[in-house]
């Protein structure tokens, strides 16, 4: 962690940080101080793309969660330096946040950009995008909310498409039932850049939570 990241954590955590302790249901209106739509981003890494999206659409609140402390400091710094009041940073496991701390139908969107690919077969069970996770996420998303994932690991992209297509709570926004073109609102991410440098192909999947 750099000194700047440590300083940002110390200064800004009380204002913009959320400890994911599983102890209470968060009032999102209170957390952001307004009633604007809230999108959850899981695994923001160093947060550059998050800060860009927050700056480009300041009417949307982004609750960004990661377990990586230097990244949390970095994102807080970026939000501060760019005068962004629509980012809150969660420290901890996104599953606990979803399960214990977010109310049903509370999210207007969910973004999962370049989740850890876990390429080895024996580690596939650690991948985030699985039916059980989707069932939990669906309960926290409002009907019509978008779930947007991207990955540079093609077998994982195929898995995302397969499990989302087979899940009754989601429908593909792409009429052809395949991958989506990268929407303009998603900037290139740090991890994506590393993948592209290695010649990887990036795929986006964009599904909608259906009304039950
Ligand atoms: C491969 S990195 C991608 C980071 C960023 N989205 C990018 O594209 O540059 C995946 C990130 O997800 C975070 N992560 C993994 N599992 C998580 C979980 N259960 N809850 C919160 N963050 C998680 C990791 O700490 C890591 O920062």
């Amino acid at each position: 962690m750099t000194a700047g990241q440590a300083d940002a954590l110390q200064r800004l955590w009380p204002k913009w940080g959320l400890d994911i302790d599983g102890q209470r249901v968060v009032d999102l209106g209170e957390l952001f101080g307004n009633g604007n739509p809230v999108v959850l981003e899981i695994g923001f890494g160093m947060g550059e793309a998050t800060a860009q999206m927050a700056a480009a659409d300041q009417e949307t609140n982004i609750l960004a969660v990661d377990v990586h402390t230097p990244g949390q400091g970095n994102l807080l710094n970026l939000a501060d330096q760019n005068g962004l009041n629509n980012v809150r940073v969660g420290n901890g496991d996104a599953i606990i946040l979803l399960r214990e701390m977010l109310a049903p139908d509370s999210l207007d969107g969910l973004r999962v950009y370049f989740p850890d690919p876990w390429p080895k077969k024996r580690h596939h069970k650690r991948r985030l995008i699985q039916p059980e996770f989707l069932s939990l996420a669906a309960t926290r998303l409002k009907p019509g909310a978008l779930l947007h994932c991207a990955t540079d690991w093609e077998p994982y992209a195929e898995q995302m498409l397969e499990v989302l297509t087979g899940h009754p709570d989601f429908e593909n926004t792409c009429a052809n039932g395949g991958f989506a073109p990268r929407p303009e609102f998603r900037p290139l991410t740090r991890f994506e850049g590393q993948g592209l440098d290695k010649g990887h192909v990036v795929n986006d999947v964009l599904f909608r939570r259906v009304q039950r």
Side-chain angles (χ1 to χ4, degrees):
M1 178 150 38
T2 66
Q5 290 159 359
D7 172 65
L9 277 173
Q10 200 182 19
R11 275 188 307 117
L12 301 167
W13 194 260
K15 190 170 148 198
W16 287 336
L18 175 69
D19 290 307
I20 299 175
D21 55 10
Q23 294 302 304
R24 68 189 171 101
V25 175
V26 178
D27 180 330
L28 292 173
E30 202 174 281
L31 183 70
F32 285 94
N34 60 46
N36 288 347
V38 179
V39 168
L40 173 65
E41 181 180 354
I42 297 178
F44 59 81
M46 295 307 282
E48 299 96 335
T50 310
Q52 280 182 56
M53 289 185 287
D57 176 10
Q58 301 196 25
E59 303 300 308
T60 295
N61 295 321
I62 302 181
L63 175 54
V65 52
D66 206 299
V67 294
H68 181 59
T69 320
Q72 293 160 10
N74 203 55
L75 178 54
L76 288 170
N77 240 340
L78 289 170
D80 190 34
Q81 286 161 4
N82 293 288
L84 302 173
N85 193 33
N86 57 333
V87 180
R88 298 294 179 270
V89 180
N91 171 27
D93 184 350
I95 305 287
I96 295 174
L97 175 69
L98 280 166
R99 202 175 52 212
E100 313 290 347
M101 299 181 71
L102 293 177
D105 291 357
S106 57
L107 295 174
D108 296 87
L110 175 57
R111 298 171 181 165
V112 189
Y113 298 151
F114 304 89
D116 295 312
W118 296 110
K120 290 186 183 147
K121 192 156 198 271
R122 68 176 187 277
H123 292 150
H124 285 183
K125 56 182 180 296
R126 298 185 189 174
R127 287 178 175 168
L128 188 64
I129 307 300
Q130 314 240 15
E132 201 184 357
F133 168 80
L134 294 176
S135 296
L136 170 63
T139 63
R140 275 32 185 177
L141 289 166
K142 294 177 183 166
L146 286 180
L147 167 58
H148 182 195
C149 308
T151 179
D152 65 324
W153 191 250
E154 285 184 274
Y156 197 7
E158 295 291 347
Q159 175 182 335
M160 289 176 176
L161 190 59
E162 189 183 321
V163 293
L164 272 160
T165 302
H167 200 289
D169 293 338
F170 291 94
E171 67 183 9
N172 200 334
T173 63
C174 270
N176 68 8
F179 296 116
R182 174 166 71 90
E184 267 183 26
F185 68 80
R186 183 176 75 71
L188 288 187
T189 77
R190 178 185 280 245
F191 198 81
E192 178 174 19
Q194 293 167 2
L196 291 171
D197 286 346
K198 292 181 210 149
H200 293 180
V201 173
V202 171
N203 286 293
D204 287 60
V205 289
L206 205 49
F207 277 65
R208 190 179 295 112
R209 202 275 229 189
V210 295
Q211 184 91 46
R212 277 170 297 181

